[in-house]
């Protein structure tokens, strides 16, 4: 998944919050004035990256997110981890260590959730091996 720039993220946030919109709709919700062509190009890039879908109404395209914010974040995180693990000479242990440290600093209760998910995944893998 391609990285998003600050304006692309802002546009995605607007569309996640408001559903769909055309260039004018998005322009009105931006915190700062931008040229019509800048917003149009940003929407088109997000469409080409596969993050937005669009439908034509009269002479304008209306854009809407293909993924919810949660789905996009999950996909982005999954691709980051998969990319990290696929790199040559990758240390899975380093990835796990950094993850646990970051989660522990951010939210101690999240460590419990991480532990719960690990137990569930182990059970799932065990069941798969038995069949």
């Amino acid at each position: 998944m391609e990285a998003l720039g600050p304006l692309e993220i802002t546009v995605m946030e607007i569309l996640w919050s408001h559903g769909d919109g055309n260039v004018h709709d998005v322009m009105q919700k931006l915190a700062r004035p931008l040229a019509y062509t800048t917003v149009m190009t940003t929407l088109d890039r997000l469409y080409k990256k596969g993050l937005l879908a669009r439908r034509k109404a009269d002479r304008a395209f209306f854009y809407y997110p293909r993924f919810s914010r949660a789905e996009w974040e999950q996909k982005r995180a999954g691709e980051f981890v998969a990319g990290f693990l696929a790199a040559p000479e990758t240390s899975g242990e380093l990835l796990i260590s950094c993850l646990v440290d970051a989660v522990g600093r951010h939210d101690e209760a999240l460590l419990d959730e991480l532990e719960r998910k690990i137990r569930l995944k182990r059970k799932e893998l065990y069941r798969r091996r038995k069949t």
Side-chain angles (χ1 to χ4, degrees):
M1 180 176 287
E2 293 182 54
L4 299 183
L7 180 56
E8 291 175 319
I9 291 170
T10 300
V11 168
M12 289 302 299
E13 292 291 341
I14 289 169
L15 294 173
W16 279 322
S17 298
H18 296 92
D20 70 350
N22 61 21
V23 176
H24 287 291
D25 297 333
V26 173
M27 286 177 66
Q28 290 176 350
K29 292 172 180 69
L30 288 169
R32 60 188 170 112
L34 290 173
Y36 179 92
T37 54
T38 300
V39 177
M40 181 179 67
T41 300
T42 302
L43 286 164
D44 189 57
R45 283 187 182 153
L46 290 167
Y47 170 75
K48 288 177 179 171
K49 289 180 179 183
L51 293 171
L52 296 179
R54 67 185 181 192
R55 62 180 165 73
K56 192 159 188 162
D58 295 324
R59 294 176 56 209
F61 281 114
F62 280 80
Y63 293 87
Y64 53 95
R66 291 187 60 224
F67 307 100
S68 69
R69 181 185 288 115
E71 290 169 333
W72 179 70
E73 288 173 351
Q74 183 175 7
K75 184 174 177 57
R76 205 175 86 189
E79 288 178 3
F80 170 78
V81 170
F84 185 86
L85 292 174
E89 299 181 32
T90 297
S91 169
E93 187 177 321
L94 175 63
L95 176 66
I96 291 168
S97 177
C98 289
L99 176 65
V100 170
D101 287 345
V103 169
R105 280 192 306 272
H106 177 70
D107 184 352
E108 195 173 318
L110 208 50
L111 280 175
D112 295 333
E113 180 63 15
L114 180 60
E115 191 173 19
R116 185 185 73 76
K117 287 191 181 257
I118 289 170
R119 281 194 306 273
L120 287 172
K121 182 54 83 174
R122 284 188 189 279
K123 286 179 185 176
E124 176 187 325
L125 293 172
Y126 178 75
R127 274 187 241 123
R128 274 195 220 157
R129 276 189 241 127
K130 288 182 77 176
T131 56

